[in-house]
Amino acid sequence: MKRIVIAGFSVLVLSLSAVAAKAQTDSTPVQVRQLTPAQLVDFAYRGQIDGIPGFQRFVRARYQADELVQQAAEAGAIAPETVEDGQYINAVRSQLRGFRPHRFND
């Protein structure tokens, strides 16, 4: 009888510690990197942001700055509140205007 009580108590303690560990990991904030506008355009061109096609498909898609910022925020490449940052969007727009794909055979 004593063994059953000890075994039951052990199972209870282990299950409570597993629940506590799960609760602790659920509350850990997700790290979101904050790319500069130049990095955002470069990463998007190289296909390193989920949902944005890379290389020539990126060039042909002719992304607008607000579309690119929105997609990057959804992919976690930039903070979600950046979508409302007019200065950031204007800087991305400027980067897109001056964007020239890398050429390795020049």
Side-chain angles (χ1 to χ4, degrees):
M1 179 71 167
K2 193 174 187 180
R3 286 185 186 177
I4 293 173
V5 171
I6 292 173
F9 183 71
S10 297
V11 169
L12 178 65
V13 169
L14 289 173
S15 63
L16 288 176
S17 63
V19 169
K22 173 79 170 127
Q24 187 176 16
T25 58
D26 287 349
S27 63
T28 304
V30 175
Q31 287 291 89
V32 176
R33 58 186 171 181
Q34 186 64 31
L35 302 174
T36 67
Q39 289 172 323
L40 175 62
V41 172
D42 189 52
F43 277 43
Y45 170 72
R46 291 189 275 150
Q48 294 179 330
I49 298 177
D50 290 339
I52 299 174
F55 304 102
Q56 290 305 314
R57 291 186 347 186
F58 173 79
V59 173
R60 279 180 282 187
R62 296 185 172 217
Y63 276 93
Q64 297 297 314
D66 55 342
E67 295 172 322
L68 190 59
V69 170
Q70 178 69 41
Q71 188 66 40
E74 290 173 7
I78 57 175
E81 58 270 11
T82 309
V83 173
E84 303 296 324
D85 186 343
Q87 288 180 325
Y88 189 89
I89 293 171
N90 284 334
V92 171
R93 185 175 294 119
S94 177
Q95 290 295 321
L96 286 170
R97 272 191 218 121
F99 178 74
R100 299 287 179 260
H102 305 298
R103 294 189 165 210
F104 298 107
N105 56 356
D106 285 349

